[in-house]
Amino acid sequence: MSKNTSFTKRLCRIGIITALYVALTYAFMPFAFGPFQIRPAEALCILPLFFPEAVPALFIGCALSNIASPYAFYDVTFGSLATLVAGVATYFMGRLFKRDWVRISLGGLFPVLVNAFVIPLVIVFLCGGGDAFTGVAVAYFSYVGSIFLTESVWVYALGTPLYFGIKRLKKR
């Protein structure tokens, strides 16, 4: 395969992953933002285990999706950076480990943990999501729990079948 063909494939893959992330997020728009996120696009966070170009694709897709967020500026900035950090860590887990269950377990852990701890910072501290009654710490940790739960569902429940589907396609 020539360098131009390889570059073209990677560029196309970036476009497809970005478009899928945005389309899946916008399809669930009313529920895609906030402390309990219905965002099936997060299943795509498993893709850096296979493709290094998935890292910038997820970053761009997240940034474009977060434009519609009620926390727009902060979510575009910090939410997208969280996705970038998680994507890079997931990519390195894919390079470091070869066993499927280890790659999925550890690779998926980064999007779950990074988003679970960063997104509540945006909601609570930057956008005033806590109130005087519950307190900021209680609000933050309740959001950490809810985002941890929802992110785990998307990354592991949808990401695992996606992982094995791509692995099967790559063997062809």
Side-chain angles (χ1 to χ4, degrees), residues 40-107:
E42 291 296 308
L44 300 174
C45 290
I46 212 81
L47 294 178
L49 293 173
F50 293 104
F51 313 111
E53 60 272 17
V55 174
L58 292 169
F59 172 72
I60 295 165
C62 185
L64 292 173
S65 297
N66 287 343
I67 290 172
S69 168
Y71 318 109
F73 172 76
Y74 299 114
D75 221 359
V76 168
T77 305
F78 298 108
S80 303
L81 287 174
T83 298
L84 180 63
V85 167
V88 168
T90 300
Y91 168 74
F92 282 113
M93 287 298 109
R95 304 276 296 174
L96 195 59
F97 298 102
K98 298 304 173 201
R99 288 200 142 147
D100 291 331
W101 67 271
V102 176
R103 293 178 84 199
I104 294 168
S105 298
L106 295 179

Side-chain angles (χ1 to χ4, degrees), residues 5 24 49 95 112 150 154 165 168-169:
T5 305
L24 285 169
L49 293 173
R95 304 276 296 174
V112 171
T150 56
W154 303 122
R168 192 176 10 239
L169 287 174

Side-chain angles (χ1 to χ4, degrees), residues 124-125 130-131 134-144:
V124 174
F125 293 108
D131 58 31
T134 60
V136 173
V138 171
Y140 173 76
F141 285 108
S142 66
Y143 289 161
V144 166

Side-chain angles (χ1 to χ4, degrees), residues 18-33 38-41 60-69 76:
T18 300
L20 276 171
Y21 192 98
V22 172
L24 285 169
T25 302
Y26 280 19
F28 292 86
M29 183 61 73
F31 312 106
F33 303 102
I38 308 300
R39 201 183 270 217
I60 295 165
C62 185
L64 292 173
S65 297
N66 287 343
I67 290 172
S69 168
V76 168

